[in-house]
Amino acid sequence: MTVDTHHHLWDLDVRDQPWMTGPEMDSLRCDFRPADLQAAMRGTSVDATVLVQTVADPDETPEMLVLAETVDRVAAVVGWVDLTAKDARERIGRLQTHPSGGWLRGIRHQVEDEPDPDWLIRPDVLAGLGAVEDSGLLFELLVRPHQLPAAIKAAGQFPQMTFVLDHCAKPDVAAGELEPWASRIRVLAAHPNVVCKLSGLVTQDDWAAQPDPSRLRAYAEVVLEAFGPSRIMFGSDWPVCLLAASYAEVLGVAKDLTAGLSDAERAAVFDTTAREIYNL
């Protein structure tokens, strides 16, 4: 059994995806609906998924909760709340008491798009993170390497809340850069309340090249060593991954990168850790 801890769905007739900028994103400018997800997963071992928000729109999360209620294999939702809002606590509460609110497991914000590298540790954001902690939800870190110092401080400030690092903090695989990303990853991983998704690496590589685990191996080894297999979870990042690789190719690359692990360690990466973290 395999849990995919990171995928998206969108309908452009319902909502624009403003992060799709430039002609290189043209292949993603179409609808990706539940039937497309089911087709992408066909023939794989994936039996449960986590649906993750894509835009800073309060209407998206309730829609995703309804999808989790009705779409086979979608087993949890990571939604969005404006962490800077003075009533962030109430907004989270309304999501949790939504008729399908039982599927909500976490909150995420596209911190990677914030110009302030210290956005995560602004007083108003810290207050919002406190509301997430009090709600019993986890928080997903969508950051880039230069934002890791703030993520490290935030994780230390809320030791009782689980933080999930998305896409290994997006190292520059295409340029072959390991530092300072690797050193910062090790510091973040020293916080036991942080887990990491083995996701998003193929789209940090050259999109025109065939998916090649050898170009990603150094980055996978850093996170595997830093977090340990028991704090790593597979994520496809579908359909964004289609910029560089198919669903099946991403899963195959992840299995190649973890081939040196024991059976129990691989089971943690692909299944058991995700079921525990997301309470599936």
Side-chain angles (χ1 to χ4, degrees):
M1 297 298 182
T2 299
V3 178
D4 177 359
T5 63
H6 200 104
H7 75 86
H8 310 287
L9 295 169
W10 60 73
D11 184 332
L12 296 181
D13 290 333
V14 175
R15 181 173 298 100
D16 187 28
Q17 300 292 323
W19 53 272
M20 294 183 199
T21 59
E24 64 274 13
M25 292 287 184
D26 284 350
S27 62
L28 296 182
R29 290 192 183 95
C30 57
D31 298 335
F32 290 94
R33 297 171 174 163
D36 302 305
L37 173 68
Q38 302 291 351
M41 293 190 298
R42 190 172 297 128
T44 73
S45 58
V46 176
D47 70 313
T49 73
V50 178
L51 175 59
V52 180
Q53 63 88 223
T54 60
V55 292
D57 182 338
D59 292 331
E60 183 190 38
T61 301
E63 294 166 6
M64 293 195 302
L65 294 173
V66 172
L67 285 173
E69 190 81 52
T70 57
V71 177
D72 183 41
R73 289 194 274 192
V74 174
V77 167
V78 174
W80 179 84
V81 164
D82 183 358
L83 295 177
T84 67
K86 292 183 178 180
D87 64 341
R89 192 177 306 272
E90 289 73 21
R91 297 186 187 199
I92 295 171
R94 286 195 291 272
L95 289 174
Q96 291 182 304
T97 56
H98 182 280
S100 300
W103 298 99
L104 187 66
R105 298 293 189 274
I107 298 297
R108 186 178 85 148
H109 180 79
Q110 281 101 326
V111 179
E112 65 172 350
D113 295 331
E114 297 291 345
D116 180 4
D118 289 329
W119 186 87
L120 270 169
I121 51 175
R122 283 175 18 182
D124 55 346
V125 176
L126 289 174
L129 288 175
V132 176
E133 180 183 48
D134 291 345
S135 73
L137 299 174
L138 57 80
F139 185 75
E140 298 216 350
L141 293 163
L142 179 58
V143 297
R144 295 187 180 273
H146 72 284
Q147 296 164 322
L148 280 170
I152 291 164
K153 292 177 182 177
Q157 186 134 345
F158 298 97
Q160 302 307 312
M161 180 163 63
T162 297
F163 288 82
V164 176
L165 180 64
D166 288 350
H167 311 327
C168 305
K170 294 194 167 183
D172 194 344
V173 177
E177 291 183 359
L178 275 172
E179 294 295 348
W181 168 82
S183 296
R184 292 171 178 171
I185 284 290
R186 294 184 183 104
V187 176
L188 180 63
H191 291 282
N193 58 321
V194 184
V195 297
C196 179
K197 291 183 184 179
L198 184 60
S199 65
L201 290 179
V202 295
T203 47
Q204 295 306 116
D205 198 2
D206 181 1
W207 296 353
Q210 283 292 109
D212 185 352
S214 68
R215 293 196 300 271
L216 310 178
R217 196 168 306 282
Y219 301 91
E221 288 176 351
V222 168
V223 296
L224 283 166
E225 178 187 354
F227 287 95
S230 66
R231 288 196 288 147
I232 300 284
M233 305 181 295
F234 165 72
S236 70
D237 197 25
W238 183 90
V240 180
C241 69
L242 297 177
L243 294 167
S246 70
Y247 194 105
E249 286 174 329
V250 170
L251 182 56
V253 166
K255 289 184 175 180
D256 188 294
L257 293 173
T258 56
L261 301 181
S262 68
D263 289 347
E265 290 170 334
R266 281 165 65 91
V269 171
F270 289 98
D271 187 53
T272 55
T273 296
R275 293 186 191 276
E276 178 182 351
I277 293 297
Y278 290 100
N279 190 27
L280 302 185

